[in-house]
Amino acid sequence: MIRDNMVDQHLVKENLFSFWLNQQSEEGEGGEIVFGGVDPKHYKGTHTYVPVTQKGYWQFEMGDVLIGGKPTGFCKDGCSAIVDSGTSMIAGPMNAITEINLAIGAMGIINDQCQKAIGNVGNLVFDMFSAMFKEPGKLCSRITICVPGDKATDGSDIRSVVDMSDGLTGPPQVPICKACEIVVDFWHKVLTNNLSRGAVLKLGTQLCAVTGLAGESTVDCARLPFMPTISFTIGGKEFELSPNEYITKIGEGASAQCVSTFVPLDNPPDVGPLWILGDAFMRRYHTIFDHGNLRIGFAEAA
């Protein structure tokens, strides 16, 4: 690697490199990487260091994740994480990312399309089935349960509770044709009931949310001032991200789109859950990759 060659040739003072990403990149330079040292003008205070737990990936142990300052319990027993300048987003386990996106009011692009389909198609399907079940006699005849001229539909041949002819007692015996009409009539009432329809459509929208948050998610840009902070506990310290830091705004004015930087990443069981703190995190926090001491340091960027 370039860094290793620099160290071997004694071209740098320290075996480390540091990253600074400009939060206002549109107004000037995009960032800076320093090999063998740190530029003090690009950070405030001191760095918080954590040891590298796996070489090659700059992996470390991260504490719990907080939403609005409240622990979520996602990482109460610790989570593996890496910091990666090659990743623009912040990735984590599906269940954790889904809860974060729900908390900030993010709606998956797939979710949005799914919600529209549920509203448009769902009501149409209900209306079609309601019309089908509107006339029980015709439907039961169509499926050959009732035959033309069957008198069972008026209930006239339902047996009495006590049939003296055979000496046996028992409940009334409803002919299959009449039973069919009763069932069809019941479902017609269910399908035309607004509460029933609302409950089914609500279930559909909930399923949309589960599938829709699996991809890129958007939020209403007007809600940014009211969204919670999201914090990551590293080395016993909370590293906070504000909505303006974890939301990417694309465009301006009424056509502007605000995209959540939180995306799901589920690894195979043998790899285990892993968080990736990408550029959205590194823009807020100056990062030192200390190869000589196998540790990573974070401080607020300046």
Side-chain angles (χ1 to χ4, degrees):
M1 295 177 62
I2 295 176
R3 185 202 66 248
D4 294 327
N5 289 333
M6 288 180 175
V7 173
D8 293 341
Q9 296 176 50
H10 305 288
L11 298 177
V12 294
K13 293 182 178 180
E14 300 177 84
N15 188 4
L16 58 80
F17 60 98
S18 58
F19 259 96
W20 169 72
L21 297 180
N22 190 357
Q23 297 186 57
Q24 308 297 330
S25 58
E26 69 280 359
E27 298 177 4
E29 59 184 325
E32 180 184 74
I33 178 171
V34 179
F35 291 100
V38 179
D39 189 340
K41 71 180 181 183
H42 287 321
Y43 67 90
K44 305 173 186 177
T46 59
H47 288 77
T48 297
Y49 288 93
V50 287
V52 172
T53 57
Q54 183 172 324
K55 297 179 182 179
Y57 292 99
W58 293 98
Q59 186 170 310
F60 60 93
E61 283 298 305
M62 184 179 75
D64 205 6
V65 179
L66 295 82
I67 300 177
K70 298 180 179 179
T72 61
F74 296 145
C75 300
K76 63 181 179 180
D77 298 321
C79 283
S80 294
I82 63 174
V83 59
D84 180 19
S85 62
T87 301
S88 60
M89 302 293 199
I90 295 176
M94 170 77 79
N95 61 337
I97 293 298
T98 297
E99 187 164 333
I100 290 174
N101 276 330
L102 288 173
I104 67 177
M107 176 179 286
I109 292 175
I110 297 174
N111 182 9
D112 186 40
Q113 297 170 345
C114 182
Q115 297 273 7
K116 292 177 181 178
I118 289 293
N120 296 332
V121 179
N123 281 303
L124 178 61
V125 171
F126 261 92
D127 291 340
M128 289 175 60
F129 276 99
S130 177
M132 183 185 301
F133 284 80
K134 186 176 182 180
E135 299 183 70
K138 287 186 177 180
L139 180 60
C140 291
S141 297
R142 187 180 303 171
I143 59 179
T144 69
I145 290 180
C146 294
V147 294
D150 193 338
K151 297 180 179 180
T153 57
D154 62 6
S156 60
D157 61 347
I158 297 178
R159 296 177 62 191
S160 63
V161 174
V162 179
D163 188 340
M164 299 304 294
S165 63
D166 56 14
L168 298 178
T169 62
Q173 301 299 306
V174 182
I176 187 171
C177 180
K178 184 62 178 179
C180 174
E181 293 181 358
I182 292 173
V183 171
V184 171
D185 183 62
F186 167 78
W187 280 109
H188 179 256
K189 292 177 180 177
V190 170
L191 292 167
T192 54
N193 184 285
N194 288 332
L195 291 177
S196 301
R197 180 178 299 207
V200 173
L201 295 180
K202 182 178 180 181
L203 177 60
T205 59
Q206 290 173 341
L207 291 174
C208 284
V210 173
T211 58
L213 289 174
E216 192 176 73
S217 300
T218 61
V219 298
D220 181 355
C221 294
R223 295 192 66 253
L224 260 65
F226 311 103
M227 293 180 193
T229 58
I230 306 297
S231 306
F232 301 89
T233 307
I234 302 173
K237 181 179 178 180
E238 293 176 12
F239 289 81
E240 180 181 285
L241 293 179
S242 69
N244 286 323
E245 291 161 340
Y246 63 70
I247 295 295
T248 300
K249 189 174 182 180
I250 304 172
E252 296 294 336
S255 61
Q257 185 179 43
C258 289
V259 180
S260 168
T261 61
F262 296 106
V263 295
L265 173 69
D266 278 335
N267 289 316
D270 58 325
V271 176
L274 179 72
W275 288 79
I276 300 178
L277 306 182
D279 294 347
F281 181 85
M282 295 181 69
R283 275 191 290 270
R284 173 72 184 269
Y285 297 103
H286 181 271
T287 307
I288 296 177
F289 296 85
D290 189 344
H291 188 268
N293 296 299
L294 289 179
R295 62 179 185 170
I296 307 174
F298 304 98
E300 189 164 356

